[in-house]
Amino acid sequence: MASSAIPKTMRGILIEKTGGTEVLQYRTDLPVPEPKEGELLVKNEFIGINYIDTYYRTGLYPAPKPEILGREAAGTVLATGPGNNYSLTTGDRVVWMATSGYAEYTACPAAKAIKIPPAISSADACAAILQGLTAVTLVEEAHKVLSGDTILVHAAAGGVGLWLCQVLRAKGAKVIGTASTEAKREEAKSNGASVCCGYEKEEVLALVKKETNGEGVRAVFDGVGKSTWDLSLEAVARKGSVISFGNASGAVEPFAISRLSAKNVKIARPTFFGYIATRDEFERYANELFKMMTEDKFNVKIHEVYPLQDVARAHNDLEGRKTTGKLLLKP
């Protein structure tokens, strides 16, 4: 089913080769896609920017070119393709995760789109869907956090870190956060961390010992990687878990698995999309996130909403570490 108001061309950002921000071409003559089997045509209202977008732009992650970047957006369904559209239809306000988001219109898989509740704005839904869902699935699947648990979150003021702080607080856990500056530590505490410190090993271990009566934390959520790995193994309690979900400082180096036996430690290296592979999983966790956002009054931190044509400035800000919170584009 389609709307007669759909134009033939659209504005969007095309890259035909890898490189710096100069390869981001603002175009006004891109063809509007037609939804295929199981797809929705969405008019995007807000488009999410993620650091992974810069990897595809520079070629660090290979992808066929020409390419429209962007892995999430929120907007309105204008047309549906044949097949199973999971009860989504024309006029629905949805948020989706797929590809080709830096454009006015995207044909996205219905399996990875979901209706936005009336109480949540399109901007907040777009800002929340990837990082918020990552936090929810880590806390539910990678290590099942229980009320009363004490949890260590590295990079607690980062994109996923701020969401982890809020989700863990909603679950009744105590959060110990690490962050590089006092401003970032205050940001983490305002989003749910109970106490925070820097990354110095002695400082972190002393705080963990104090907050857990010497037992260690039930789990560590570590998106930093190489530079915090040994610290994470020392901070975790007997029978606890270390969840490595990012490589901000580089990949964790190979280590002897026998190191885990001293405290019967469990480790995991999950990927987010492995937790939402099925429609049931995606709906379950998205609806849980939406419920937390409304009932627990989550803070959705949006750094700036950039006009679509200012995408190069947005990428420069992101790569220059000038941002806190989510970056959005508006067509």
Side-chain angles (χ1 to χ4, degrees):
M1 183 168 60
S3 167
S4 58
I6 299 171
K8 298 295 184 183
T9 59
M10 65 178 182
R11 294 177 295 120
I13 306 298
L14 188 72
I15 61 171
E16 296 180 297
K17 61 182 179 180
T18 58
T21 54
E22 73 280 355
V23 304
L24 296 163
Q25 302 177 45
Y26 175 67
R27 299 276 292 270
T28 60
D29 58 350
L30 297 175
V32 173
E34 293 186 10
K36 300 181 177 65
E37 180 88 14
E39 289 185 340
L40 311 171
L41 179 66
V42 178
K43 180 175 174 59
N44 297 320
E45 183 181 359
F46 293 96
I47 301 157
I49 298 176
N50 295 288
Y51 211 91
I52 195 173
D53 299 346
T54 70
Y55 295 164
Y56 285 110
R57 190 202 75 223
T58 61
L60 180 63
Y61 286 3
K65 301 292 184 287
E67 178 185 16
I68 295 175
L69 299 176
R71 307 181 76 80
E72 67 200 339
T76 304
V77 178
L78 293 191
T80 60
N84 186 1
N85 290 311
Y86 300 96
S87 301
L88 298 170
T89 189
T90 304
D92 284 345
R93 194 168 60 103
V94 300
V95 61
W96 59 262
M97 294 184 298
T99 57
S100 303
Y102 288 12
E104 284 185 278
Y105 303 88
T106 302
C108 69
K112 287 296 183 281
I114 194 165
K115 287 181 71 171
I116 302 170
I120 297 175
S121 71
S122 296
D124 283 357
C126 184
I129 194 67
L130 189 60
Q131 294 174 340
L133 271 187
T134 297
V136 170
T137 55
L138 286 173
V139 166
E140 286 292 325
E141 297 263 11
H143 175 91
K144 178 71 173 177
V145 174
L146 303 177
S147 180
D149 285 349
T150 301
I151 307 296
L152 175 60
V153 175
H154 289 308
V160 175
L162 289 175
W163 282 101
L164 276 169
C165 289
Q166 295 188 89
V167 172
L168 288 165
R169 177 176 60 184
K171 295 286 186 182
K174 177 196 287 186
V175 179
I176 300 172
T178 61
S180 59
T181 67
E182 186 59 35
K184 289 183 177 181
R185 292 190 280 274
E186 288 302 315
E187 184 76 22
K189 284 193 280 189
S190 71
N191 281 272
S194 300
V195 291
C196 290
C197 64
Y199 288 102
E200 290 297 325
K201 181 178 178 180
E202 292 76 13
E203 183 184 12
V204 177
L205 293 178
L207 186 57
V208 166
K209 183 177 181 179
K210 176 185 175 183
E211 295 295 325
T212 64
N213 295 317
E215 293 184 1
V217 293
R218 295 310 311 159
V220 183
F221 291 102
D222 188 344
V224 176
K226 181 179 179 180
S227 67
T228 51
W229 180 249
D230 288 336
L231 170 59
S232 296
L233 289 177
E234 288 195 45
V236 72
R238 182 179 65 88
K239 299 195 294 185
S241 302
V242 177
I243 311 303
S244 176
F245 67 92
N247 304 317
S249 67
V252 174
E253 295 179 344
F255 66 98
I257 197 169
S258 58
R259 289 182 62 187
L260 306 178
S261 62
K263 294 190 288 186
N264 286 5
V265 172
K266 297 180 288 293
I267 62 171
R269 182 55 175 92
T271 59
F272 163 59
F273 285 98
Y275 289 137
I276 58 161
T278 70
R279 177 67 185 184
D280 286 347
E281 289 171 332
F282 176 55
E283 285 189 354
R284 172 191 167 192
Y285 289 125
N287 287 326
E288 181 171 348
L289 173 63
F290 292 154
K291 182 179 179 182
M292 287 180 173
M293 289 173 67
T294 52
E295 294 185 1
D296 295 295
K297 309 298 183 185
F298 276 14
N299 173 35
V300 183
K301 186 171 180 59
I302 296 173
H303 172 75
E304 185 175 340
V305 179
Y306 299 76
L308 184 62
Q309 59 268 31
D310 287 355
V311 63
R313 179 169 65 88
H315 273 225
N316 283 328
D317 288 350
L318 186 63
E319 291 176 291
R321 308 291 181 183
K322 299 177 181 177
T323 68
T324 55
K326 188 72 175 180
L327 281 65
L328 300 179
L329 294 170
K330 189 167 181 61

